[in-house]
Amino acid sequence: MHQHFILFKPYGYLSQFIYELKRKKKLLGELHDFPEGTMAIGRLDEDSEGLLLLTTDGMVSEQIRSKKVDKEYYVQVDGVITPEAIEQLQKGVEIGFDGGKYKTKPCKALIVTEIPDFGPRAKKIRDERHGPTSWASITINEGKFRQVRKMTAAVGFPTLRLVRVRIGNVYLQNLKAGEVLEVSDFQLDN
């Protein structure tokens, strides 16, 4: 019987269970007593937070990665993001990828005025003396390395905080950083 989990990955954790290099890193296994064979489906960078799906079923992992499932991110950016910047994101922007240039696919992007309470991040972002910040929602169904961060930087609004809130029909809900919820399956139809 396979097991499936929804996790709010906190800032500063790697999306993996084993880390072979010498430096001490925080790993997912420190958050919950997962069964043997549990794997993260997709990844979030060490400095990104939010929804991460975990499963003991490799087939589910493949389906989610191959289906081009929508992934929605809430991004706190440096400065007050403009409607023009949002429009550029929607149309696709050029980012660096694999030593070359890559134009992102058109996506959903909007300015977020109701900021969810994600709780404070483990590492303080910065304070208001450095100028205003704002939030945007970006929904993509591709996943190049650090893509969302590169996209906001490309339109002049570097990412300060990135929280994945949705994968397909699976939402972060009211989970707090580090919380794990076991579910019977992932309802992933977009």
Side-chain angles (χ1 to χ4, degrees), residues 19-51:
Y19 185 71
E20 301 292 354
L21 302 178
K22 294 276 184 273
R23 289 198 329 260
K24 181 80 177 106
K25 294 286 188 178
K26 293 180 181 170
L27 304 174
L28 297 179
E30 297 170 38
L31 298 171
H32 184 79
D33 187 13
F34 292 105
E36 190 153 327
T38 301
M39 65 191 95
I41 302 173
R43 295 213 158 163
L44 283 171
D45 299 330
E46 186 174 1
D47 50 0
S48 299
E49 308 162 72
L51 182 62

Side-chain angles (χ1 to χ4, degrees), residues 16 23 69-70 76 86 92 103 105 108 110 123 132 134 139 161 165 179-180:
Q16 58 201 59
R23 289 198 329 260
V69 172
D70 280 350
Q76 185 179 17
I86 291 290
K103 183 161 185 203
K105 293 186 175 123
K108 278 190 248 171
L110 51 107
K123 180 176 172 225
S134 58
T139 302
R161 187 177 187 185
V165 295
E179 283 186 343
V180 177

